[in-house]
Amino acid sequence: RRPRGVLVNPDLSIRCAGGYMIQLLPGATDQEITTLEQNIAKAPSVTRLLQQGMGPKEIMDLVLQGFDPQVLDEYDVCYRCDCSRERVERALISLGRKELEEIRQEGKTFPVECQFCDAVYSFTPEDIGKLLEKI
């Protein structure tokens, strides 16, 4: 089960977003499964819980009511793109000699935009020539 939600403000910015994932392990009894399903069914939406100020521990306690969960580790989660110029260079090299030659022959700076973080990496015809040397 993966209940999740996103609450959007009128200006389309994110007010709150969250979710949880529960995975049954081998050996779960029918009664445990039923209890868990009932807990999930009666729990308000994740966005409502977040709006009410509940944190991960409180949401876990609500959804796992009747169980004895143990927190084994805690860490902050954040979105971070791991793109870099070097990764983009490797991607360009994977296009092959013919396509890189065509890009270089256009004689213009060739921008490559990361589809995740919108970073733009610009490659001059000289940069493309250096990539061709690596092939």
Side-chain angles (χ1 to χ4, degrees):
R1 296 254 170 174
R2 296 182 184 162
R4 59 203 176 275
V6 178
L7 186 60
V8 180
N9 290 313
D11 68 357
L12 300 182
S13 62
I14 303 300
R15 179 178 293 170
C16 66
Y20 55 86
M21 181 175 77
I22 298 173
Q23 180 177 354
L24 294 172
L25 297 176
T29 67
D30 288 341
Q31 180 56 46
E32 290 169 332
I33 295 168
T34 299
T35 300
L36 187 57
E37 287 175 339
Q38 289 171 347
N39 289 351
I40 292 169
K42 69 181 179 184
S45 70
V46 175
T47 51
R48 179 165 296 159
L49 297 173
L50 293 170
Q51 276 188 294
Q52 293 171 357
M54 292 181 79
K57 173 97 171 73
E58 293 87 8
I59 293 172
M60 178 187 73
D61 289 340
L62 177 71
V63 175
L64 297 179
Q65 189 174 5
F67 295 91
D68 185 26
Q70 298 174 16
V71 176
L72 302 177
D73 196 5
E74 292 184 38
Y75 55 91
D76 290 332
V77 177
C78 66
Y79 172 78
R80 188 175 357 164
C81 186
D82 62 352
C83 74
S84 67
R85 186 170 181 87
E86 292 76 26
R87 287 187 79 175
V88 174
E89 286 177 358
R90 288 194 302 271
L92 287 173
I93 288 170
S94 74
L95 294 175
R97 179 172 292 283
K98 181 180 177 195
E99 191 151 350
L100 284 178
E101 285 286 0
E102 290 173 8
I103 292 170
R104 183 174 69 164
Q105 287 176 6
E106 287 181 14
K108 300 185 235 174
T109 297
F110 185 74
V112 179
E113 184 175 342
C114 176
Q115 65 181 357
F116 300 106
C117 71
D118 297 326
V120 178
Y121 299 93
S122 296
F123 292 85
T124 65
E126 293 78 24
D127 294 331
I128 301 295
K130 289 177 186 174
L131 294 179
L132 283 165
E133 292 172 10
K134 292 181 181 183
I135 295 179

